[in-house]
Amino acid sequence: MRAIVDCNSFYCTCERLFRPGLDQQPVVVLSNNDGCIIARSDEAKQLGIAMGEPYFKARPLIEKNKIATFSSNYYLYGDMSWRVMECMRSLLPPECVEVYSVDEAFLDLSHLPIEQVHSYCLVIKQRIEQWTGIRVSIGAAPTKVLSKVANRLCKKNKIATGGILVLDDPEKITEALRQTAVADIWGIGRQYAEKLRSMNIHTAEDLRKQNTAWARKILGGVTGVRLLHELQGMPCIGMLEELVTKKMIATTRMFGKDVRELSAIREAIATYTSRAAEKLRRQKGAASCIHIFLIPKSPPTAGKFRHGPVVGTYATLPRATDATNDLIKPALQMVQEIFEEGLIYKKAGVMLSGIVPRDAVQGSLFEAEDSKKAALMKMIDNVNFAMRGHLLNFAAAGTAGHWKMRQEMRSPRYTTRWEELFLIR
């Protein structure tokens, strides 16, 4: 059996943890620069707050209903996510816990008799909620895809299911698939859903009845066949199999305010390069190509278009690397080339490509400092991870950061900053 543990309205729940007065109140969390709504409590959903809606459009409804509104607090969310995952690791071997996203994890429960799965899921749920205060829903089934189906239905009927739904017999599976639209199946995107509906396939049960040859032709080859087999109860997606090494890593951000100065653009690009390099080292990769781009603000006469043409360039490195300083240097050289005086910039980004395993990079007789660079990068990553923030940076990233994203309603970083610890009187 496989199970997926999903934190309920995770960002909103994190905000409520240290503000008990919000437990029954509607809460929303905004995206970078306080642009769009990216998380809603159940109460906010019932009031008609739409996912992804721009904040300025939803603001009248938010103010009318006194909905608590927060900027994204990624330091808090990341730390609470780690605590939730550690709760699961305290009950299961590490190889049985696959962190799928900041608020989801797959569990391998194949070592349990099927009749014990529900009671064990209850133990997991109780420990997470008691130790962290984060409420979770758990769906369990013979395969990963079916566990996602179970979890979705569990979250739709939290009171009836008690937060746990186990599909442990054919009748339960069939009924669950009948209640699941094809658009709600894990791995089926919008275009595929429209295509399937045009073929009179409207539910997951309709899809499950198809054959392997049809799935290979219609659903994209081997991937479609695996999806079909998973719906039919045959495990095809193993633990950790979905954590595929990325072929490209990007870090992009909207600026908190309009930027005109070259110095600010250089700081932003250096900061984004540092973040991308950190992600690269996390997957034990090395990049041989770096791309940067800048997006200028459009003139008032541009009509409906909000920005001007994207300006970008790239550089191929002499050899693949994961060292931040080796990536920042060409990035800043390219900024100098594409920056245009007089333009107002609203966004910038860095992308790393040509990624290969770090251990596969051939050494160089002229690069005797590789071991020292690796030790330096490891030390920087360890300190930044331990402190849950980017306390150590290269000088090129600057210290002012007036270009950084706007977070006017961010709550304190209760669990990662001494000066922002929650006070109990």
Side-chain angles (χ1 to χ4, degrees), residues 10 13-19 73-84 131-134 384-389 410-423:
F10 181 58
T13 303
C14 289
E15 299 294 351
R16 283 171 159 171
L17 278 177
F18 300 92
R19 298 175 186 244
N73 188 345
Y74 296 119
Y75 296 98
L76 175 62
Y77 308 153
D79 186 65
M80 293 309 302
S81 173
W82 174 79
R83 293 168 189 244
V84 169
W131 286 16
T132 70
I134 302 292
N384 286 338
F385 176 78
M387 300 305 295
R388 295 294 193 274
R410 180 178 62 78
S411 57
R413 294 164 290 188
Y414 297 108
T415 62
T416 59
R417 290 291 185 275
W418 287 107
E419 65 275 16
E420 297 180 27
L421 284 177
F422 186 71
L423 300 179

Side-chain angles (χ1 to χ4, degrees), residues 3-6 121-122 124-125 136-140 150-151 154 163-165:
I4 185 164
V5 179
D6 188 1
C121 287
L122 181 59
I124 294 171
K125 177 179 170 64
V136 299
S137 297
I138 304 177
N151 184 263
C154 174
I164 299 172
L165 179 60

Side-chain angles (χ1 to χ4, degrees), residues 3 52 132 147 159 224 251 289 350 404:
T132 70
S147 72
I159 296 177
T251 301
C289 189
V350 174
K404 292 183 178 179

Side-chain angles (χ1 to χ4, degrees), residues 138-244:
I138 304 177
T143 70
K144 276 187 171 182
V145 173
L146 288 175
S147 72
K148 290 283 282 188
V149 169
N151 184 263
R152 177 181 170 275
L153 294 176
C154 174
K155 294 182 75 171
K156 285 184 65 178
N157 303 280
K158 293 174 186 173
I159 296 177
T161 62
I164 299 172
L165 179 60
V166 179
L167 303 181
D168 51 7
D169 64 59
E171 290 76 16
K172 289 183 181 179
I173 293 174
T174 299
E175 182 58 29
L177 294 179
R178 285 174 180 163
Q179 296 178 43
T180 304
V182 288
D184 296 323
I185 301 173
W186 184 46
I188 297 291
R190 182 184 303 174
Q191 291 185 342
Y192 267 118
E194 292 178 359
K195 182 178 181 179
L196 292 172
R197 284 193 292 264
S198 69
M199 303 172 71
N200 205 32
I201 297 174
H202 299 282
T203 68
E205 175 63 11
D206 296 334
L207 182 58
R208 184 175 69 154
K209 294 176 181 178
Q210 307 307 311
N211 59 50
T212 300
W214 180 92
R216 183 175 286 110
K217 179 180 178 181
I218 303 298
L219 295 180
V222 174
T223 303
V225 172
R226 291 169 68 187
L227 173 61
L228 178 65
H229 286 172
E230 286 263 324
L231 285 173
Q232 293 171 343
M234 295 179 280
C236 296
I237 305 175
M239 296 296 289
L240 305 178
E241 194 170 326
E242 290 300 301
L243 299 181
V244 180

Side-chain angles (χ1 to χ4, degrees), residues 105-136:
F106 282 107
L107 305 180
D108 184 356
L109 303 180
S110 56
H111 60 287
L112 295 173
I114 196 166
E115 62 272 10
Q116 294 181 14
V117 170
H118 189 281
S119 59
Y120 200 79
C121 287
L122 181 59
V123 171
I124 294 171
K125 177 179 170 64
Q126 290 174 339
R127 175 165 295 192
I128 293 172
E129 294 180 355
Q130 181 180 9
W131 286 16
T132 70
I134 302 292
R135 297 186 181 93
V136 299

